[in-house]
Amino acid sequence: MSDTSSSPKAIEQTGEEQTSPHSSAQPLKRRVSWFDDVLLLGIMAALAGCGLIYEYLLSHYAGRILGALEAAIYTMIGLMIVSMGVGAFAARKIRCAFTGFAILELTVALCGAFAIILTAAMIGFGHQLPFAIATQLNLPSDQLPDGGFIHILQRLSHYIPYIWGVILGLMIGMEIPLIARVRQSLSEEHLLHNAGTIYGADYIGAGVGAAIWVGFMLAIDIQLAAAMTASVNLIAGLLFIWRFWPNIKFNKLLLVGHIFASVLIGILAVKGPNWEQSFNNLLYKDKVIYSESTRFQQLTFTERLRGNNKPPVYNLYINGRLQFSSSDEQIYHDFLVHPTLAASARQDHILIIGGGDGLGLKQALNWDPKSVTLMDLDEDLVTLFKHPPEEMPKRLSQALIRLNEDALNDPRISLIFDDAFNGVDKLIASDQRFDAIIIDLPDPSHPDLNKLYSDLFYRKISELLSADGVVSIQSTSPYHAPEAFKSIGLTLASAGFTTSQYNHNVPSFGQWGWTAGTLSGANARDRLTALPELPVETDWITMGLINSSFEFPKHFYDDLDQIKINEIGSLQLYRYHLGAWSEEQVINLF
């Protein structure tokens, strides 16, 4: 056999095996070069990593921008896996594996690069459409058109990430069968172990992709991450075209397509993050003046100007959910902090879990403690409020420092950046005790947060609290999520605390609730009732407001015997919260 028979040039463009002119039944025996084999397996591994990153990108976008719950992320991954299976079957209909693969990588690159920004544009314009119509028709602000096709359009827009997931899943599923057919056509040696070798490269590549996502892409803009991932698909396609040029139909046209797509994706990598952010900003009623993506969350600051020389209102949204408004954050933080410290026997050593914005810390410092330990997962968030970056608008950075009174730079503060569930173990190991503990964590809106409201976590807290101290926990809304609110109280009680729950209206959130717990002596409510006035000067809260906040409607606790505690691993509180807020998964930012 001549050497030319092992060259890709000797292979028909259909990708089918050549046969000997002397025997139509026996194929020629060829050996593929090690370079071709390494190239194909390397391409397969790279594409597997890209496929996994596309899954994460789309589900991540749904979680950060649309405010979707954890179930939405699982739905996205499930849909893509099923679509990949369908795509693997569909690949059998592609007659030429070489040409099909080159076309496929060009299409995947374009879809992957543009999926996020097109989704952002459609969602943003869908939310702005009622305002545009109202402006043209001179309708009052309380008569925005929101029914009929507008309502349908807005609801459908929230399913767009899943549509992209299905489309990309179908195409990603075609990659393995096509690569396997290419390897098979190059050498019959691969027939025996072809599937195992291809899947081995696929699994390894997926693992590398997951590592790149967690270690790098989580901290960068999501549109930039999409463009970077798509560029890998393009490079893989270009390498494939270069190496197997004679076997690919329309090779010149495909080469031009890859080059043109490279230019588009390059522009998208440079300009896309700003375009995407502009579309995302359409979701907010007030003007977005600063946004930042951290490793853990998307931070968005808005500004609302007011007349009569009143200061602007600044709001912080985390993953599309309102975190605080400068107009009424004091109400929330006064009720979180002052009842806790007033009911505690001492206020020398305080632990705050969460609250990286420093607003609760500011209130705690009014009690002149000797030390305050603040534990938060997101160091970038804390740094932003401690030392606002230079690129942040000056008026916003000044407003943030003014809001928290530069509390994060107080010399009495110790900062710990850790997951609270594991971080408290380190405090226990160092035999620390605190006179009061304030837990200001996000609602248990997905399973990772659920464990921070579990019986096990509260038992850990009991080991850190002084015997005559008080712990307080933000406990979601007793009006919108009464079962979740009551479950938090019962769960804290199951960990050995005597509990008292209280509530008050925070205009930006509605009726909101907190839970206080003591380990010995009187409960927090009785301790506060005995106080004639607060021991510290406050601008807003009074003892009368505090005492009245422990009152609930007459039959509020009638079903308490039917509420379950949130045992570790049960996800009970997460289910209560999910059921209560299911209609509010996508927060109406207007």
Side-chain angles (χ1 to χ4, degrees):
M1 176 135 341
S2 66
D3 292 339
T4 57
S5 64
S6 64
S7 169
K9 296 182 180 180
I11 306 169
E12 292 183 355
Q13 292 184 353
T14 61
E16 301 296 332
E17 296 280 359
Q18 284 186 318
T19 57
S20 166
H22 302 292
S23 173
S24 60
Q26 295 296 325
L28 288 173
K29 295 183 178 180
R30 296 178 300 275
R31 295 180 62 85
V32 65
S33 71
W34 66 267
F35 179 82
D36 288 342
D37 208 28
V38 170
L39 177 65
L40 289 173
L41 293 178
I43 287 175
M44 190 65 255
L47 299 185
C50 290
L52 194 68
I53 290 174
Y54 286 133
E55 290 183 17
Y56 290 154
L57 279 170
L58 290 168
S59 57
H60 198 58
Y61 184 84
R64 285 197 170 189
I65 305 302
L66 300 180
L69 297 172
E70 191 77 2
I73 297 176
Y74 300 147
T75 301
M76 176 68 71
I77 294 176
L79 280 174
M80 289 194 71
I81 290 174
V82 172
S83 300
M84 288 164 63
V86 175
F89 283 111
R92 295 184 298 178
K93 299 297 184 180
I94 298 176
R95 296 185 61 184
C96 177
F98 289 91
T99 305
F101 185 81
I103 295 173
L104 183 67
E105 290 316 298
L106 176 59
T107 309
V108 170
L110 289 172
C111 289
F114 282 90
I116 297 297
I117 196 165
L118 290 179
T119 300
M122 296 174 75
I123 293 173
F125 286 125
H127 277 279
Q128 282 295 310
L129 183 59
F131 292 90
I133 295 175
T135 300
Q136 291 297 318
L137 300 179
N138 293 319
L139 297 176
S141 59
D142 59 346
Q143 294 184 18
L144 293 177
D146 58 0
F149 83 95
I150 293 178
H151 176 74
I152 294 173
L153 177 64
Q154 289 179 338
R155 296 302 300 173
L156 287 177
S157 68
H158 297 115
Y159 294 98
I160 293 174
Y162 305 113
I163 296 174
W164 282 116
V166 171
I167 293 171
L168 283 167
L170 287 170
M171 292 189 290
I172 292 169
M174 296 180 184
E175 290 172 341
I176 290 180
L178 292 180
I179 284 287
R181 284 171 55 188
V182 168
R183 290 185 78 237
Q184 178 179 326
S185 67
L186 291 176
S187 174
E188 65 184 16
E189 286 183 2
H190 296 306
L191 289 176
L192 183 60
H193 301 294
N194 197 10
T197 304
I198 291 290
Y199 277 108
D202 182 78
Y203 295 149
I204 294 172
V208 173
I212 292 173
W213 172 258
V214 174
F216 171 64
M217 287 189 169
L218 265 175
I220 67 175
D221 182 88
I222 196 167
Q223 178 56 55
L224 176 59
M228 293 175 65
T229 306
S231 67
V232 175
N233 287 103
L234 272 185
I235 293 172
L238 286 169
L239 287 173
F240 188 84
I241 292 173
W242 164 74
R243 186 59 181 170
F244 303 109
W245 179 268
N247 309 97
I248 300 173
K249 297 177 181 179
F250 319 114
N251 46 23
K252 294 180 180 179
L253 182 61
L254 282 170
L255 179 61
V256 172
H258 276 72
I259 295 173
F260 181 68
S262 299
V263 174
L264 286 179
I265 293 174
I267 294 173
L268 202 59
V270 176
K271 300 292 187 180
N274 289 333
W275 294 342
E276 179 232 342
Q277 190 58 58
S278 297
F279 292 135
N280 292 338
N281 293 349
L282 296 175
L283 296 173
Y284 299 89
K285 176 181 178 180
D286 300 325
K287 180 182 179 181
V288 175
I289 59 172
Y290 185 76
S291 296
E292 181 176 329
S293 293
T294 74
R295 180 179 174 83
F296 302 102
Q297 49 206 352
Q298 174 72 32
L299 311 176
T300 303
F301 291 89
T302 66
E303 179 185 57
R304 181 168 70 250
L305 300 178
R306 300 186 292 177
N308 300 323
N309 295 320
K310 293 182 179 179
V313 174
Y314 294 100
N315 295 336
L316 168 63
Y317 293 86
I318 295 183
N319 294 345
R321 298 177 182 272
L322 181 64
Q323 183 72 9
F324 73 76
S325 173
S326 63
S327 63
D328 56 21
E329 62 81 16
Q330 184 174 5
I331 300 175
Y332 173 87
H333 291 103
D334 272 9
F335 273 96
L336 175 71
V337 173
H338 292 304
T340 310
L341 298 182
S344 298
R346 292 172 306 282
Q347 301 82 27
D348 292 338
H349 304 286
I350 301 170
L351 171 64
I352 300 177
I353 298 177
D357 50 32
L359 297 175
L361 174 63
K362 173 189 69 175
Q363 300 298 340
L365 291 177
N366 289 332
W367 292 79
D368 196 26
K370 294 179 180 178
S371 71
V372 181
T373 300
L374 189 146
M375 180 184 298
D376 198 284
L377 176 64
D378 196 341
E379 183 175 0
D380 291 335
L381 169 66
V382 176
T383 301
L384 187 147
F385 280 89
K386 185 178 182 182
H387 301 295
E390 292 184 2
E391 60 268 22
M392 177 182 285
K394 195 69 174 179
R395 64 187 187 279
L396 176 59
S397 60
Q398 291 174 346
L400 297 184
I401 296 298
R402 185 167 59 250
L403 275 173
N404 66 22
E405 296 180 359
D406 204 22
L408 290 163
N409 289 302
D410 191 287
R412 293 169 290 178
I413 308 306
S414 297
L415 296 174
I416 299 175
F417 302 110
D418 203 344
D419 173 74
F421 196 82
N422 299 318
V424 296
D425 289 336
K426 299 173 184 177
L427 295 177
I428 294 171
S430 61
D431 199 30
Q432 296 196 46
R433 289 291 184 274
F434 299 93
D435 300 313
I437 299 176
I438 298 165
I439 303 177
D440 187 17
L441 295 169
D443 276 6
S445 56
H446 77 66
D448 283 347
L449 287 167
N450 184 81
K451 66 184 180 182
L452 299 177
Y453 290 84
S454 67
D455 55 344
L456 177 58
F457 183 69
Y458 292 150
R459 285 198 294 271
K460 293 181 179 183
I461 293 298
S462 70
E463 296 186 47
L464 293 173
L465 185 65
S466 299
D468 50 7
V470 177
V471 60
S472 65
I473 305 163
Q474 92 78 13
S475 303
T476 197
S477 170
Y479 178 79
H480 292 288
E483 290 180 325
F485 177 76
K486 297 169 194 175
S487 179
I488 293 172
L490 290 176
T491 304
L492 186 64
S494 73
F497 291 86
T498 301
T499 62
S500 304
Q501 293 190 289
Y502 56 105
N503 70 118
H504 194 79
N505 183 266
V506 181
S508 294
F509 297 99
Q511 203 70 15
W512 211 255
W514 302 264
T515 303
T518 59
L519 289 171
S520 61
N523 63 36
R525 180 177 186 176
D526 291 342
R527 296 185 190 188
L528 291 167
T529 302
L531 294 176
E533 60 182 5
L534 278 172
V536 297
E537 290 291 329
T538 59
D539 294 330
W540 189 86
I541 199 169
T542 66
M543 282 307 306
L545 286 173
I546 291 175
N547 290 328
S548 65
S549 69
F550 288 92
E551 292 295 329
F552 286 87
K554 185 174 182 179
H555 299 289
F556 182 76
Y557 285 106
D558 284 358
D559 64 346
L560 195 62
D561 59 340
Q562 301 174 29
I563 304 297
K564 298 178 181 179
I565 68 172
N566 187 38
E567 296 178 337
I568 185 69
S570 70
L571 298 182
Q572 184 61 60
L573 183 61
Y574 166 70
R575 295 191 186 98
Y576 281 145
H577 190 274
L578 177 63
W581 294 97
S582 58
E583 295 300 320
E584 306 292 335
Q585 285 186 23
V586 179
I587 299 300
N588 184 355
L589 302 178
F590 300 101

